[in-house]
Amino acid sequence: MILSALFALGKTEDDFNWTEKPIVLKMTKKIIDACYEFLKPKRKPRSIDELYLIFVFKGYLRFKEKDLFEALTKDERFIIDNGDSPFF
């Protein structure tokens, strides 16, 4: 909740005196590469929700499923089947 409040106020995680600083994940090439590594050995398509869930327990996510989807569509390594729900 503290992180959400900070971000809503236009501040960053550095603007609070944490006892233990939380992990904040932003949409970066490292996130896209992690999706690629996750998908590389898979045979069946995976939904954007499944890819997003890879990161949920790793820290506070500063991006939504839509942001992840948009980032992956710009990367040529991913083949997207955009039926009812986006699959990779």
Side-chain angles (χ1 to χ4, degrees):
M1 293 181 108
I2 294 171
L3 285 169
S4 295
L6 285 170
F7 297 139
L9 293 169
K11 299 186 180 244
T12 71
E13 63 272 18
D14 298 324
D15 293 319
F16 188 81
N17 187 16
W18 302 98
T19 301
E20 185 176 331
K21 190 173 179 181
I23 296 170
V24 177
L25 300 174
K26 299 171 184 158
M27 181 52 56
T28 62
K29 183 173 178 348
K30 187 175 178 180
I31 295 292
I32 296 169
D33 290 343
C35 290
Y36 181 76
E37 291 302 318
F38 174 80
L39 290 170
K40 193 164 57 170
K42 309 291 186 208
R43 292 179 183 258
K44 294 182 353 184
R46 305 295 175 183
S47 71
I48 193 67
D49 295 327
E50 187 174 348
L51 292 174
Y52 188 77
L53 286 175
I54 297 169
F55 307 104
V56 168
F57 297 109
K58 294 185 179 192
Y60 182 92
L61 303 182
R62 286 290 317 256
F63 57 91
K64 302 286 184 203
E65 292 95 332
K66 180 182 176 186
D67 302 320
L68 180 59
F69 175 75
E70 289 174 1
L72 296 179
T73 58
K74 295 175 184 173
D75 191 306
E76 294 178 0
R77 296 178 290 177
F78 298 94
I79 299 170
I80 300 168
D81 175 9
N82 195 7
D84 291 337
S85 178
F87 285 91
F88 298 89

